Amino acid sequence: MEARQNGPNGELPAPAVPGPTNPMVTPLLTDLYQFTMAYAYWKAGKHDERAVFDLYFRKNPFGGEYTVFAGLEECIRFIANFKFTEEEISFVRESLPSSCEDGFYNYLRGIDCSDVEVYAISEGSVVFPKVPLLRVEGPVAVVQLLETPFVNLINYASLVTTNAARHRFVAGKSKMLLEFGLRRAQGPDGGIGASKYCYIGGFDATSNVAAGRLFGIPLRGTHSHAFVSSFMGPDEIINRSLTSHDGSTTCEDFVSLVQSWLSKIQWSESLHGSFGETNQSELAAFSSYALAFPTNFLALVDTYDVVRSGVPNFCAVALALRDLGYKAVGIRLDSGDLAYLSSEARKIFWSIEKEFGVTDFGRMNITASNDLNEETLDALNKQGHEVDSFGIGTYLVTCYAQAALGCVFKLVEINNQPRIKLSEDVSKVSIPCKKQCYRLYGKEGYPLLDIMTGENEPPPKVGERILCRHPFNESKRAYVVPQQVEELLKCYWPGNSGRAREHLPLLVDIRQRCIKQLEQMRPDHMRRLNPTPYKVSVSAKLYDFIHFLWLNEAPVGELQ
Amino acid sequence: MEARQNGPNGELPAPAVPGPTNPMVTPLLTDLYQFTMAYAYWKAGKHDERAVFDLYFRKNPFGGEYTVFAGLEECIRFIANFKFTEEEISFVRESLPSSCEDGFYNYLRGIDCSDVEVYAISEGSVVFPKVPLLRVEGPVAVVQLLETPFVNLINYASLVTTNAARHRFVAGKSKMLLEFGLRRAQGPDGGIGASKYCYIGGFDATSNVAAGRLFGIPLRGTHSHAFVSSFMGPDEIINRSLTSHDGSTTCEDFVSLVQSWLSKIQWSESLHGSFGETNQSELAAFSSYALAFPTNFLALVDTYDVVRSGVPNFCAVALALRDLGYKAVGIRLDSGDLAYLSSEARKIFWSIEKEFGVTDFGRMNITASNDLNEETLDALNKQGHEVDSFGIGTYLVTCYAQAALGCVFKLVEINNQPRIKLSEDVSKVSIPCKKQCYRLYGKEGYPLLDIMTGENEPPPKVGERILCRHPFNESKRAYVVPQQVEELLKCYWPGNSGRAREHLPLLVDIRQRCIKQLEQMRPDHMRRLNPTPYKVSVSAKLYDFIHFLWLNEAPVGELQ
C-alpha cells in the first residue's frame, strides 16, 4: 500500500483521523459504475454540482422492530484519508474505455473529501427504517464514489451489532456473553469486524486475539477437544510439581493428588454409582492444563462423556488445585443437551460442596458453546439451565438468521433541487430533500417516534403539538407533544462548512451508548414475538412536498 | 504492520510465496485458546510432538450434495510467512496470565512453519463431507495455532465458491453472470473474497474495482438510479457534440438527434400507443451517458417506468448513436417482474429492428439485477425470460441461504498414535489416523466415490476390486473396480520432508479446474431437487481400526 496523505492541499486536518482498520479499504473498494458515473459527470461538467445523498435501510433485520447503527467510525476514517494513489489512478484508467479523456484522471488525482460534509446519527444508536443514518453532501462525483464503501462498512457492522444486541436481550443482563465466531466468519475481517461490533452490541469478550489487540476487547479462551485427545494418559506427564498459590509449599506430584481426589469422588456417598472409570487421556489433559494455568483452570468436559468422565475428572483436578489454594474457574460444554448437562454438572458441584465442605464449589462457572443462537438461548431459558456464560459463534457472526442488511444510498437533492427515486414498490420510493431528523420523547421517557422535516423547517419544540405523518400512507398521522426533542444527525465530517466536528467516541463509549439506548426503548418494540413497530414520520410540509414531486415525476399510464 | 521474514533461519524459501491478500491475516488472527493450549503444551514439554490434523466439513451446504474447495492459496501464503513480530509477542504476553513463564515467549519468537507439512486437495476441486481438504502435520503447538486462520480462510471461500457454482448451474452456460455484491457483503474483504471466489465458481466478472485490481477479474458496471435522477432535463446538457465512430463526421447536437428519434419511436406504427411522454431527467441522463461512453452505452431503465419511459428513452439514444456508427450495448433492469419486463423490452427491440431496419437491434443485451438468487433464477427459467446477463449481489456474496460452512480441524494422530474425537452425535465422530484419500472413477468417466485409507495401505489400483465401507454404518459397503484412481491430497507445503511442492496455480486455472470438475460429476449428484449423495468411504482396514479405537475410548455406561 502506498502512503496516503490527509487534507486537500497537503495540510493535516486537526485532529488527524487514522485510516480504516482494514488497509484494504481504499478508494478502489467501490463498484466500477461509480467511476463510469464519475467520468460521465465530469464529461458533462456536472461533477462539482452539490448533491445530497441519504444512507438508510428499509426494513429492520431478524424480524425485529429495531436496528443498532454501527460502522460510522470506519466511514469517517475512510473519508479522512480518501485520496487516490498514482497506482490506483493507473488501474482506473486501465478499467475504463480508452476513449476516456486524460483530464478525468487529473481530476481524480486532485479529489479528496475536504469538500464533503457528513451528518450522521451517533454510532451505537438505536435506529429505524427510512431515517437517514448518514446524510452526505458534496460534489456529486465525489460523493458517488463513497457510496459503495460507506454502504459496505455500515451494512454488516449494523447487522451484526443488532444481532449481538438481540442475543444479549434473550440471554439477559446477568449472563456472560463471549463471541467465538472467528473460524466461521465470512473471511478474516468478517471475523475481526464481528468481534468489534458484537462488543458494541453488548457482548463481554471475544476469542479473537487480533480483535483484542486492535480494539482492546477482553479476550477469553481455554482449550479445545484436540488438547484433550493429544494426551494418552497421566503417565506421560513428566513435570508434576505445583507450588501452592501462596508460595508456601510445593506439591511434588500433583497428578497423584488429582488421582486420589478422583477415587474419593468415585467412592463418595452422595455421588456413589454416578461414575465408573473416567477417560485417562482427559484426566491427563486436565491435570496438565491445571499445571500450566493453576489460577485459570477451565476445562472442556465433553470430549468423551460429560457426566461420566468430563465432570468427575474436572472435579478431581479442581479439588486438587484447592488443596494448594487455587480456585478453579469452571467447565465448558460444547455438545449435547446443554440444559440437561449443565443441570447435572451443577448437581455434582453442589454435592461436592456439601460432601467435602468446599465453599463455593456449587457456584462453579458453567460455559456453554454449541451452535447457539437466539432461538436456542430462548429455549434454554424456557427449559431451565445452569449455564453462566455463553460462547456464541456461527449464528452470531454470520448473522445466519438474516445474512444481509439492505442499506441504500439515494440522491435526495442536487443543486438545491429535491430528487425522488420512484418504484412500483412503494417501500422503495425514496424520501426527497435535504432533511433534518428528530427523535421525540414522551412523558415516560421512552422515544415516541422519529420525524423527518425539510432542512429549513423549524425544529419540533418541547411541549408544542406537532403533526407527524406516515411518509406514504395518508391515513396514518398523529399529533405529538414531545417532552424532549433530540436532533439525530450530527456533524461528523464538516468539510468546508466551518461547523464543529463531533469527535469519534471510544469503543467502550459506543458500547455504553448502545446498551443505554436499548434499555431506553419501550419494551413492546423490543420483544421477540410480534414487536410493535416504532413510528417513523415526516412533517406535514415534507409530506405534501413528497407527494407533489411524486406526481410530477411519474409518467401517466394509458390503459388500452 | 511490521515486515515479516520468510524461512526459519532467515533464508528465503524458493520460490518465495507472497503474504496473505489481506494484511490483517497475521498469526494473531486466531482464538486465544490456541495460545493457552500452546502454553500448556510447552509447559508439559509436548509442544514439539508430531501431530496430524485433518481439516474437513461434515455436510454439504445449500441442501446440495457437493462443495467446491477454495481458500488454499491464502492458507499457504499465510504459513509461508508465519512469524511473530515482537509487538505481537508482547500482546500475547499481555493476554496470558502473568504466571506464564518467559521461556514460552522465546519459544514463540522462534517458531515458523518450516517444520509443518500441508497436504491438500487442489483448490477449485469438487469435494465431499468427511474427506480431509487439508492434512496438516507438524509440531502440535504450531499446528494448533494454525487452526483458526485455516478454518477462517477456507470456510467462507469454499461456501461462496459453491454458492457461485450453484448459481451458474441454474443460470446455464450461455448467460453472463456478474457479481455485484460488494455493498452487501459482510465487511470489506467479505466483498473482496466474494469477488475472487465467485469468479472461481464460474462468474464472469465483478463490479468490485479493488478485486479487479488484486486478482485481474474482469470488471463491469455502468450507472445507478442516482445518475439518472441527478439530471433535470436535456436543457442542462451543454456540450452536445459527438464525433462519429469512424471519426468522419461530428454531430453538433446529439441531444436533438436523440429527441428526433424519440418522436419517431413515439409515432411509429408498430409501437404506436405504447409510449406517452417519457421522463426528461432520464432522457437527459441517457444522452449524457452516451456522450461520455458512446462505445459502451448500457442504460439502467427502471428509475421511473421501464416500458413507458426507460426503454423508449434508451432506444432513442441507441438509434441516435447508430446514426453515428456506434452500437449500443443494452439495458439493465433492477426492479419489477424481470420475466415480463425483459420480454416486453425484447419485443420493443425487435419491433424497432423491423420498423427501422436496424440489424441486430432485437438482440440488444438485457441485464437483470434485482435481489436474484438460485430460486429466482430457476423461477425465471420456468417462466421464460429474455435476460442475457444476471447481476447478482446480496444472496450470492452473503450466502444468504446458508451463511456458514462448518469446517473443523481435528487431531487424528499424535506421536504416531491415532486419535479419535467421540460425540453422542455419530456425524461428529472424527475419523482417526493419518490417511490417504483417493477418488475412484467408473467406466463412464464419472467419479464413483472417495475412499480414505490408512497412510501405509497400498493405494487402490485400476481394474482391481476394492471393498469400500461407510465409515460408521456397517451395513453400507460396496465393491468397486476403479477405471481411474486419483490421489486427492497433494503436497502444497513440504516442510522439512524433502518432497516436491505443488505450485500454486493461477486464479484462472483454479477457475478452469472448478468448471471442469463440476462438468465431470454425474448429473444426479448436481441437480437442485433431491440430489443423490456422493459416496464417501473408508477401506476395510481403516473401518475396523476406527471401531476398535471407538470402543477403546468410550466409557461404558451403567443404567440404574
Side-chain angles (χ1 to χ4, degrees), chain A residues 234-548:
Chain A
D235 293 348
E236 68 179 293
I237 303 180
I238 311 297
N239 186 349
R240 298 169 165 227
S241 76
L242 182 61
T243 302
S244 65
H245 192 229
D246 61 8
S248 63
T249 58
T250 293
C251 167
E252 290 305 332
D253 191 348
F254 181 70
V255 178
S256 293
L257 183 60
V258 168
Q259 277 163 325
S260 72
W261 269 112
L262 186 61
S263 61
K264 279 186 214 166
I265 295 170
Q266 279 163 333
W267 293 103
S268 92
E269 279 195 27
S270 58
L271 298 166
H272 186 61
S274 301
F275 318 131
E277 280 290 297
T278 62
N279 185 288
Q280 294 300 294
S281 306
E282 186 176 62
L283 188 67
F286 289 180
S287 302
S288 201
Y289 196 80
L291 283 164
F293 296 104
T295 54
N296 294 68
F297 178 59
L298 195 156
L300 175 63
V301 294
D302 69 337
T303 305
Y304 299 103
D305 187 302
V306 173
V307 175
R308 289 200 298 252
S309 183
V311 172
N313 278 337
F314 165 79
C315 291
V317 176
L319 290 164
L321 280 174
R322 188 179 158 271
D323 285 349
L324 298 168
Y326 296 102
K327 198 174 164 189
V329 176
I331 60 167
R332 180 160 71 95
L333 301 167
D334 192 39
S335 60
D337 179 338
L338 299 174
Y340 169 77
L341 293 172
S342 65
S343 302
E344 289 301 300
R346 182 70 70 208
K347 277 187 219 158
I348 297 172
F349 295 153
W350 281 120
S351 297
I352 285 177
E353 171 156 351
K354 254 195 236 167
E355 177 151 355
F356 302 105
V358 193
T359 319
D360 274 357
F361 206 93
R363 291 199 177 78
M364 194 65 74
N365 179 287
I366 301 177
T367 299
S369 60
N370 180 35
D371 280 350
L372 296 170
N373 59 24
E374 268 191 79
E375 277 64 42
T376 50
L377 291 180
D378 193 46
L380 282 171
N381 287 343
K382 284 174 182 151
Q383 244 183 299
H385 66 85
E386 289 290 338
V387 177
D388 304 296
S389 309
F390 291 103
I392 311 185
T394 312
Y395 291 95
L396 176 69
V397 305
T398 66
C399 300
Y400 206 91
Q402 180 182 326
L405 183 66
C407 277
V408 296
F409 193 76
K410 294 291 171 193
L411 180 72
V412 294
E413 192 175 297
I414 187 164
N415 284 331
N416 299 311
Q417 298 293 320
R419 305 305 288 150
I420 193 168
K421 192 250 152 189
L422 301 183
S423 173
E424 305 202 1
D425 179 355
V426 172
S427 73
K428 285 193 164 185
V429 174
S430 64
I431 298 179
C433 302
K434 180 170 169 179
K435 296 177 286 291
Q436 294 294 352
C437 306
Y438 305 93
R439 184 158 295 172
L440 308 186
Y441 291 78
K443 281 181 192 158
E444 292 166 17
Y446 296 127
L448 289 176
L449 53 66
D450 288 0
I451 183 168
M452 295 175 263
T453 72
E455 186 200 6
N456 298 317
E457 289 186 62
K461 285 200 185 65
V462 169
E464 274 187 22
R465 201 171 80 143
I466 180 170
L467 181 60
C468 302
R469 301 200 63 165
H470 186 289
F472 303 117
N473 184 331
E474 64 175 340
S475 69
K476 290 192 178 173
R477 58 222 159 133
Y479 283 107
V480 174
V481 181
Q483 301 302 307
Q484 188 196 327
V485 175
E486 182 188 7
E487 189 169 357
L488 292 175
L489 294 171
K490 294 182 178 145
C491 182
Y492 277 92
W493 190 254
N496 294 327
S497 69
R499 284 175 205 254
R501 189 174 108 202
E502 290 285 323
H503 77 285
L504 293 172
L506 295 175
L507 185 63
V508 286
D509 295 331
I510 298 173
R511 182 172 187 267
Q512 271 315 308
R513 162 178 281 272
C514 172
I515 292 169
K516 201 178 145 199
Q517 288 236 330
L518 290 164
E519 282 174 355
Q520 216 177 12
M521 291 299 297
R522 214 173 62 203
D524 59 315
H525 299 309
M526 310 302 288
R527 67 186 174 216
R528 291 187 65 235
L529 202 65
N530 295 326
T532 311
Y534 179 86
K535 287 186 180 60
V536 169
S537 66
V538 295
S539 67
K541 203 169 160 188
L542 184 55
Y543 178 91
D544 291 341
F545 187 76
I546 294 169
H547 294 265
F548 161 77

Side-chain angles (χ1 to χ4, degrees), chain B residues 46 83 90 106 141 150 157 179 192 258-259 264 323-324 328 332 349-350 375 382 395 442 450 452 465 527 552:
Chain B
K46 269 175 81 77
K83 190 84 192 154
S90 301
N106 281 330
F150 273 14
E179 177 270 310
I192 289 171
V258 169
Q259 278 162 325
K264 277 185 212 164
D323 285 349
L324 299 168
R332 180 159 72 95
F349 295 153
W350 281 119
E375 277 63 42
K382 284 174 181 152
Y395 293 95
D450 288 1
M452 295 175 264
R465 202 172 79 144
R527 66 186 174 217
N552 217 35

Side-chain angles (χ1 to χ4, degrees), chain B residues 99-157:
Chain B
S99 59
C100 292
E101 296 167 29
D102 274 354
F104 175 65
Y105 304 106
N106 281 330
Y107 163 70
L108 283 186
R109 204 165 273 128
I111 60 176
D112 58 26
C113 290
S114 58
D115 198 20
V116 172
E117 295 164 53
V118 176
Y119 299 83
I121 300 182
S122 298
E123 190 160 4
S125 298
V126 175
V127 292
F128 303 97
K130 301 189 200 81
V131 181
L133 307 174
L134 264 69
R135 189 183 76 210
V136 187
E137 309 174 28
V140 64
V142 176
V143 177
Q144 194 81 72
L145 287 168
L146 305 177
E147 171 178 19
T148 314
F150 273 14
V151 177
N152 175 282
L153 290 168
I154 287 170
N155 260 329
Y156 175 62

Side-chain angles (χ1 to χ4, degrees), chain A residues 1-5 19-29 78 81 83-88 189, chain B residues 1 19-25 77 188-189 192 209-211 213-215:
Chain A
M1 302 280 157
E2 297 171 37
R4 289 169 195 288
Q5 289 177 341
T21 300
N22 186 341
M24 297 172 87
V25 179
T26 70
L28 290 197
L29 190 74
F78 175 64
N81 298 279
K83 190 84 193 153
F84 286 96
T85 65
E86 282 305 314
E87 206 187 337
E88 287 166 346
D189 81 357
Chain B
M1 303 280 156
T21 300
N22 186 342
M24 297 172 87
V25 180
R77 285 172 168 229
D189 79 358
I192 289 171
V209 181
R213 182 184 175 208
L214 281 166
F215 309 118

Side-chain angles (χ1 to χ4, degrees), chain B residues 452-485:
Chain B
M452 295 175 264
T453 72
E455 187 199 4
N456 297 318
E457 290 185 60
K461 286 201 184 67
V462 170
E464 276 187 22
R465 202 172 79 144
I466 180 170
L467 180 61
C468 302
R469 301 200 61 164
H470 186 289
F472 303 116
N473 185 331
E474 65 176 338
S475 68
K476 290 192 178 173
R477 56 220 160 132
Y479 283 107
V480 173
V481 181
Q483 301 304 306
Q484 186 195 328
V485 175

